[in-house]
Amino acid sequence: AISAIVDVYDAMTSDRVYRDGLSSLDALKIMYEWRGRDFQPELLEEFIKCIGIFPIGTVVVLNTAEVGVVRTLNREQRLKPQVVLALNSDKTPYSSLRSIDLVHDTGPMGKPYEITRVVPPATFNIQPVDYLPVRTMA
């Protein structure tokens, strides 16, 4: 059922005392290999559509060597979410938060931004929640 998919995904991507969590992309790749055996293929496909290829909060490295956190998904172009830049190309923190849209914005050399890899937050000691908008309950 869908609850099993959600539970396994959460377990695989969460940091534990004995290991760091996998990146969302790595967890989804493994789970996709298990479809048909451990998960109903249709449910796993729907789960991936719902959370996206790069779920909100995913830490990504861009083709500019900058590091960011996925802020919002793009339902039409799933490989081009909005990203909040966290670290410069030399891996020093930005002094203020800057959000970029991978569909429209270009990097320092005028080339379109692209995600080159997904990394666990611990790789750069980033807390994704620090880069996401705060939502208040009304």
Side-chain angles (χ1 to χ4, degrees):
I2 194 73
S3 59
I5 293 171
V6 172
D7 186 52
V8 169
Y9 177 80
D10 181 58
M12 292 175 78
T13 58
S14 296
D15 288 338
R16 305 289 185 200
V17 175
Y18 50 89
R19 68 155 176 78
D20 289 338
L22 295 176
S23 73
S24 58
L25 189 59
D26 288 339
L28 290 174
K29 283 180 186 176
I30 292 167
M31 291 174 69
Y32 197 76
E33 292 172 7
W34 296 345
R35 75 189 184 288
R37 186 187 74 209
D38 297 303
F39 308 116
Q40 289 179 289
E42 305 81 27
L43 288 179
L44 185 60
E45 293 286 342
E46 286 302 314
F47 176 75
I48 292 170
K49 284 181 190 174
C50 286
I51 66 165
I53 296 169
F54 303 112
I56 293 171
T58 299
V59 178
V60 296
V61 178
L62 302 172
N63 57 337
T64 57
E66 293 164 290
V67 178
V69 177
V70 173
R71 179 178 180 196
T72 61
L73 305 179
N74 182 328
R75 299 280 180 213
E76 286 76 43
Q77 296 186 48
R78 296 181 189 273
L79 297 176
K80 297 188 174 281
Q82 287 186 3
V83 174
V84 178
L85 296 177
L87 303 176
N88 288 302
S89 58
D90 64 2
K91 306 306 181 263
T92 57
Y94 277 100
S95 57
S96 61
L97 297 182
R98 182 175 145 227
S99 183
I100 58 169
D101 183 337
L102 272 58
V103 172
H104 304 291
D105 294 329
T106 55
M109 304 302 272
K111 290 176 48 178
Y113 280 106
E114 294 178 6
I115 294 173
T116 58
R117 64 189 170 114
V118 173
V119 296
T123 304
F124 296 107
N125 197 28
I126 290 175
Q127 296 297 321
V129 72
D130 294 342
Y131 298 90
L132 300 176
V134 176
R135 298 199 177 198
T136 57
M137 301 299 286

